[in-house]
């Protein structure tokens, strides 16, 4: 199938893109890498009247580190994130996660901003934003706003962005000393959307978590930061402590069912991921050997 007829405009600046979006309201859609938008249009899941192509806006590209903050432009492609020494040094969780986003052909065109604005609950990068405590920078008719990642994702393909706004960048605090990270997803094949996955960022001192952010994806209608992780912080993690946290996690999650997995299977996989993640982050294989799940 082919997309319905649509008009096309190439934005010449962020200001011009915002004018075009404001003039066409809900009938307009932003085009970045097109890796989610074009398939959705070709399947006629959406039929925008106007495509506003922001792909040439150099001001939305790039990766910079300043004052303890890693800023990544919305148009930065997945492949650029994957190859960036700054990302590898200051947000290595992202480097690990990107390898699981689709395939090279898609990573060559798909962008960070597109992935976050698309807000597929099975996507890797939105969960990374939660784990990394990112701030999402948005430009709109009333100027710029800064939104915590935890407040940005609202549901399946739903974010805090309005049709008149552009996601322009994300900002991440750079990894501190004693930072550790973990990324894993269960998927049928490498590059497929996950059945369940976790992106984790932690501070570990003397074998104790001082901070632990476990962001799950594909287990709810949006990425979720597990509240149960708090039961593992500032306490020696014994099998009993981990078992209690895993039970709390299962109670907290309300996964969806689809053709890939039942809700019960997703809940089980989330618990398995917690145990593997904690064992890996603490360097404690014993925790993953005790049949806790
Ligand atoms: C075969 C296949 C496999 C895939 N596998 C995965 C996977 O495993 N994991 C995964 O996460 N993704 C996967 N994807 C999806 C894809 O990688 C991302 O969703 C994509 O990279 C989004 O970025 P984009 O730049 O292509 O966005 P586009 O397709 O251009 O846009 C996506 C949506 O975001 C909006 N948008 C884009 N940029 C902005 C902006 N700056 N401000 C406001 N709104 C904006 C668009 O209007 C549109 O609604 C897959 C896609 C395909 C085709």
């Amino acid at each position: 199938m082919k997309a319905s007829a649509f008009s096309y405009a190439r934005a010449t600046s962020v200001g011009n893109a915002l004018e075009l979006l404001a003039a066409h309201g809900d009938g307009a859609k932003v085009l970045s890498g097109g890796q989610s938008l074009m398939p959705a249009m070709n399947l006629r899941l959406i039929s925008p009247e106007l495509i506003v192509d922001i792909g040439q806006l150099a001001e939305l590209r790039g990766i910079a580190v300043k004052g303890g903050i890693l800023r990544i432009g919305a148009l930065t492609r997945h492949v650029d994130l994957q190859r960036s020494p700054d990302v590898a040094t200051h947000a290595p969780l992202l480097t690990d996660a990107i390898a699981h986003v689709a395939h090279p052909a898609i990573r060559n065109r798909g962008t960070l901003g597109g992935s976050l604005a698309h807000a597929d609950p099975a996507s890797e990068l939105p969960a990374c934003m939660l784990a990394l405590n990112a701030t999402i920078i948005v430009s709109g008719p009333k100027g710029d706003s800064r939104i915590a990642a935890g407040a940005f994702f609202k549901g399946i393909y739903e974010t805090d962005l309005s049709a008149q706004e552009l996601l322009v960048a994300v900002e991440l605090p750079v990894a501190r000393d004693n930072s550790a990270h973990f990324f894993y997803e269960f998927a049928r094949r490498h590059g497929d959307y996950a059945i369940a996955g976790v992106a984790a960022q932690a501070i570990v001192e003397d074998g104790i978590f001082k901070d632990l952010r476990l962001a799950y994806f594909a287990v709810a209608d949006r990425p979720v930061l597990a509240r149960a992780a708090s039961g593992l912080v500032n306490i020696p993690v014994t099998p009993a402590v981990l078992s209690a946290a895993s039970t709390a996690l299962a109670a907290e999650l309300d996964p969806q069912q689809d053709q890939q997995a039942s809700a019960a299977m997703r809940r089980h996989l989330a618990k398995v991921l917690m145990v593997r993640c904690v064992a890996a982050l603490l360097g404690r294989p014993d925790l993953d050997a005790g049949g806790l799940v």
Side-chain angles (χ1 to χ4, degrees):
M1 215 189 308
K2 284 292 162 203
S4 303
F6 59 89
S7 303
Y8 172 91
R10 176 169 284 176
T12 53
S13 65
V14 168
N16 177 233
L18 293 177
E19 281 166 16
L20 289 163
L21 293 174
H24 291 83
D26 289 347
K29 269 282 184 192
V30 174
L31 173 68
S32 286
Q35 299 306 295
S36 292
L37 183 66
M38 297 319 293
M41 287 174 63
N42 285 340
L43 291 167
R44 300 208 178 182
L45 298 173
I46 53 167
S47 300
E49 293 156 17
L50 174 72
I51 291 298
V52 178
D53 183 352
I54 62 169
Q56 300 293 313
L57 302 184
E59 62 207 279
L60 295 184
R61 272 184 220 289
I63 299 167
V65 192
K66 196 173 166 190
I69 298 292
L70 179 68
R71 184 180 168 107
I72 307 174
L75 271 184
T76 306
R77 298 175 307 156
H78 302 323
V79 67
D80 300 322
L81 289 176
Q82 197 171 11
R83 292 178 182 163
S84 163
D86 280 336
V87 172
T89 303
H90 300 297
L93 172 65
L94 269 185
T95 310
D96 283 5
I98 284 283
H100 297 267
V101 176
H103 309 285
I106 289 159
R107 296 199 291 266
N108 283 340
R109 287 189 172 271
T111 65
L112 175 62
S115 179
L116 302 184
H118 188 56
D120 188 316
S123 268
E124 293 82 359
L125 301 184
C128 289
M129 295 300 119
L130 255 64
L132 293 167
N133 205 9
T135 301
I136 316 274
I137 320 279
V138 170
S139 278
K142 294 183 185 154
D144 285 1
S145 52
R146 302 169 61 81
I147 306 164
F152 183 75
F153 301 102
K154 299 285 189 191
I156 300 179
Y157 306 130
E158 205 188 326
T159 69
D160 207 39
L161 279 174
S162 77
Q164 280 74 49
E165 291 177 320
L166 268 189
L167 196 164
V168 293
V170 303
E171 289 184 354
L172 311 167
V174 300
R176 290 169 36 188
D177 289 348
N178 302 329
S179 284
H181 69 279
F182 178 88
F183 183 92
Y184 196 89
E185 70 178 36
F186 291 107
R188 296 220 177 265
R189 295 168 305 186
H190 185 87
D192 280 6
Y193 276 106
I195 299 170
V198 72
Q201 187 72 22
I203 305 284
V204 182
E205 286 175 14
D206 300 325
I208 304 273
F209 286 120
K210 293 295 163 184
D211 188 30
L212 176 60
R213 296 175 69 85
L214 293 185
Y216 281 89
F217 52 102
V219 298
D221 67 349
R222 68 197 80 178
V224 286
L225 206 53
R227 293 191 300 276
S230 64
L232 299 164
V233 175
N234 287 324
I235 186 174
V237 178
T238 61
V241 165
L242 184 51
S243 177
S246 152
T247 303
L249 175 72
E252 169 184 341
L253 295 179
D254 184 17
Q256 70 282 18
Q257 169 166 338
D258 59 20
Q259 67 275 28
Q260 292 221 79
S262 65
M265 180 173 165
R266 284 201 159 89
R267 200 176 273 112
H268 174 76
L269 292 178
K271 291 169 71 180
V272 171
L273 285 168
M274 177 186 255
V275 171
R276 285 191 189 175
C277 172
V278 168
L281 288 172
L282 294 177
R284 295 265 312 275
D286 57 299
L287 291 170
D288 194 14
L292 280 174
V293 174

